């Protein structure tokens, strides 16, 4: 096991293929405070530049500093820049005290030795759902706490389903979903839209079908994986999904759904408010697994992590700041601030549902979700993901069969991982 209590950061290379994780760093000596050692100021980095200094989020961060008796100096950057900056800061010995980081990148930073473990900070993560905590676990050590989770489910246009005689509660597996698509398209509506774009978003949206077939990210060309990709290509061939899915991001997919023309859309927790404001009645059901039940959907959301510091006396206040963000009340506040992150603990989820019981489908989805870097994939995940989204693109475009596309993906992933 790595001993992160040392201020020395071991040398490591981190090659990241996913666009949101593109970075390479060799971290050597360092591990200082980005605040320059000011005992009254703690530095905080997060990936929310859309939340300005007068926002509810910024005020919440500042309040956690006030509670710990210090001032928090917050810096916001987009996800890619934040990952790169964190790696560079560790190399230069200028790491901030606290970082909020997209969960697939946690293992990358942990692999360099630049992060403290939750045990070293004295944090209790026993109440955090294991499936959510797993994204930040490397070699049986947890390197942060999820501040909440979002994931995917199946939104539906209730008006179109009623007109076509489809009961959304009857959609429990792939066959029943495909039958529903046949009914709604036969009734003159459009079927389903999703994001198959050639980026991490494409992998993110494909994974529920991939995992729902029983496939594993270490075996991209398994029969189960082929079945999942054949499901998507089959929908295109039948006219149940539009050709635009090849280039759709999750945002453009949602824009298509909001036209009121589509019966279904694969999208995330973050569209809850938008769905409520749509010009038609909407609902949500879990993404179905091939043989029935809810498919594991990938978890989105950030972890709160603490880089190694030369001055280890800072850790006590850092722990207080982290604990402020991760109380049941804190988790619920995050959920409502970001509309919606589901709390990563049963206690937090119950508190959220007490206030907003209509979020039960999303709590259920998060409880079934899975981290993309789980199964100890760590820094291999971005290379596997790129191979997977490339296969999806090749199959959706018709340039390769699902079986051939995934066979090439497996070969490419093995070559990239080495």
């Amino acid at each position: 096991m790595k001993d992160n209590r040392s201020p020395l950061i071991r040398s490591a290379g981190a090659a990241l293929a996913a666009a949101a994780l593109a970075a390479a760093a060799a971290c050597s000596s360092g591990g200082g405070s980005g605040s320059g050692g000011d005992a009254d100021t703690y530095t905080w980095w997060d990936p929310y530049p859309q939340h300005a200094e007068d926002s509810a989020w910024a005020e919440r961060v500042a309040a956690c500093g006030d509670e710990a008796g210090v001032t928090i100096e917050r810096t916001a950057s987009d996800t890619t820049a934040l990952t790169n900056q964190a790696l560079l800061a560790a190399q230069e010995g200028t790491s901030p005290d606290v970082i909020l980081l997209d969960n697939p990148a946690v293992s990358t930073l942990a692999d360099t030795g630049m992060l403290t473990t939750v045990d070293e900070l004295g944090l209790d993560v026993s109440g955090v759902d294991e499936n959510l905590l797993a994204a930040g676990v490397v070699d049986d050590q947890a390197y942060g706490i999820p501040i909440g989770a979002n994931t995917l489910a199946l939104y539906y246009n209730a008006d179109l389903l009623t007109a076509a005689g489809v009961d959304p509660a009857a959609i429990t597996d792939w066959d029943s979903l495909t039958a529903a698509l046949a009914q709604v398209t036969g009734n003159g509506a459009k079927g389903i839209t999703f994001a198959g774009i050639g980026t991490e978003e494409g992998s993110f949206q494909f994974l529920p079908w991939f995992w729902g077939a029983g496939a594993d990210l270490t075996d991209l060309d398994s029969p189960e994986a082929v079945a999942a990709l054949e499901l998507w290509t089959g929908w295109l061939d039948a006219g149940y999904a539009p050709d635009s899915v090849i280039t759709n991001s999750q945002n453009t997919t949602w824009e298509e759904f909001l036209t009121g023309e589509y019966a279904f859309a694969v999208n995330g927790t973050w569209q809850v408010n938008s769905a409520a404001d749509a010009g038609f009645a909407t609902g949500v059901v879990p993404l179905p697994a091939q043989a029935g039940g809810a498919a594991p959907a990938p978890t989105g959301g950030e972890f709160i992590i603490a880089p190694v510091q030369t001055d280890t006396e800072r850790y006590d206040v850092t722990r207080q700041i982290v604990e402020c963000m991760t109380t049941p009340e804190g988790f619920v506040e995050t959920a409502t601030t970001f509309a919606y992150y589901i709390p990563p603990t049963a206690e937090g989820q119950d508190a959220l549902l007490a206030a907003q019981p209509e979020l039960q489908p999303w709590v259920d989805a998060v409880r079934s979700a899975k981290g993309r870097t789980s199964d100890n994939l760590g820094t291999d995940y971005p290379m596997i993901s790129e191979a997977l989204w490339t296969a999806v693109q090749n199959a959706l475009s018709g340039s390769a069969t699902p079986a051939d596309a995934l066979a090439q993906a497996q070969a490419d992933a093995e070559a990239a991982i080495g």
Side-chain angles (χ1 to χ4, degrees), residues 228-374:
L229 193 46
E230 286 177 342
L231 179 71
W232 272 20
T233 57
W235 287 345
L236 261 70
D237 292 343
Y240 298 158
D243 290 340
S244 61
V245 298
I246 299 174
T247 55
N248 269 354
S249 68
Q250 294 186 113
N251 284 338
T252 54
T253 292
W254 191 248
E255 289 168 3
E256 287 181 337
F257 181 66
L258 289 180
T259 65
E261 298 175 357
Y262 287 87
F264 299 98
V266 179
N267 225 288
T269 326
W270 51 91
Q271 302 293 8
V272 165
N273 285 346
S274 179
D277 293 337
F280 48 89
T282 64
V284 177
V285 294
L287 291 167
Q290 182 178 24
T299 55
E302 282 70 43
F303 269 58
I304 186 166
I305 56 178
V308 169
Q309 303 293 332
T310 302
D311 181 4
T312 58
E313 291 185 1
R314 297 181 69 84
Y315 292 155
D316 181 59
V317 171
T318 298
R319 177 185 51 76
Q320 293 177 52
I321 293 170
V322 173
E323 287 178 339
C324 173
M325 296 295 296
T326 55
T327 62
E329 298 79 12
F331 284 138
V332 171
E333 190 171 346
T334 295
T336 54
T337 298
F338 290 135
Y340 283 90
Y341 271 15
I342 301 302
T345 64
E347 187 177 3
Q349 291 161 8
D350 290 345
L352 179 65
L353 291 175
Q356 295 178 280
E358 70 275 11
L359 294 177
Q360 184 70 60
W362 291 108
V363 170
D364 292 342
V366 163
R367 287 173 175 169
S368 299
K370 181 174 179 175
R372 284 165 278 175
T373 58
S374 296

Side-chain angles (χ1 to χ4, degrees), residues 135-169:
V137 173
V138 179
D139 295 332
D140 298 323
Q141 290 289 324
Y143 286 89
I145 303 176
I147 61 166
N150 53 45
T151 194
L152 298 170
L154 192 62
Y155 285 93
Y156 62 84
N157 182 321
D159 297 341
L160 295 183
L161 265 58
T162 298
V166 173
D167 178 5

Side-chain angles (χ1 to χ4, degrees), residues 34-243:
S35 65
D38 186 342
D40 296 324
T41 302
Y42 276 64
T43 47
W44 168 294
W45 293 359
D46 67 45
Y48 311 134
Q50 70 273 30
H51 294 284
E53 287 309 303
D54 60 350
S55 67
W57 171 248
E59 291 175 0
R60 172 141 183 260
V61 172
C64 282
D66 293 341
E67 188 173 312
V70 298
T71 298
I72 290 182
E73 183 180 284
R74 173 179 173 254
T75 301
S77 308
D78 67 61
T79 297
T80 301
L82 183 63
T83 304
N84 293 341
Q85 290 163 5
L87 290 163
L88 181 60
Q91 185 177 8
E92 295 177 342
T94 57
S95 292
D97 294 288
V98 177
I99 304 177
L100 260 62
L101 192 70
D102 193 23
N103 72 80
V106 174
S107 59
T108 297
L109 269 59
D111 191 61
T112 69
M114 64 168 285
L115 300 182
T116 62
T117 68
V118 295
D119 288 343
E120 289 164 352
L121 279 183
L123 293 164
D124 180 9
V125 295
S126 60
V128 179
D129 289 354
E130 187 175 349
N131 65 319
L132 303 179
L133 186 66
V137 173
V138 179
D139 295 332
D140 298 323
Q141 290 289 324
Y143 286 89
I145 303 176
I147 61 166
N150 53 45
T151 194
L152 298 170
L154 192 62
Y155 285 93
Y156 62 84
N157 182 321
D159 297 341
L160 295 183
L161 265 58
T162 298
V166 173
D167 178 5
I171 298 171
T172 57
D173 56 19
W174 288 5
D175 287 345
S176 55
L177 175 55
T178 301
L181 294 175
Q183 282 183 249
V184 294
T185 55
N187 198 50
K190 295 180 181 179
I192 186 169
T193 180
F194 52 85
I197 190 171
T199 69
E200 178 61 23
E201 286 191 42
S203 290
F204 189 77
Q205 288 237 328
F206 183 61
L207 281 173
W209 315 100
F210 181 90
W211 284 330
D216 189 285
L217 285 170
T218 61
D219 189 9
L220 296 180
D221 58 350
S222 68
E224 293 83 3
V226 172
L229 193 46
E230 286 177 342
L231 179 71
W232 272 20
T233 57
W235 287 345
L236 261 70
D237 292 343
Y240 298 158
D243 290 340

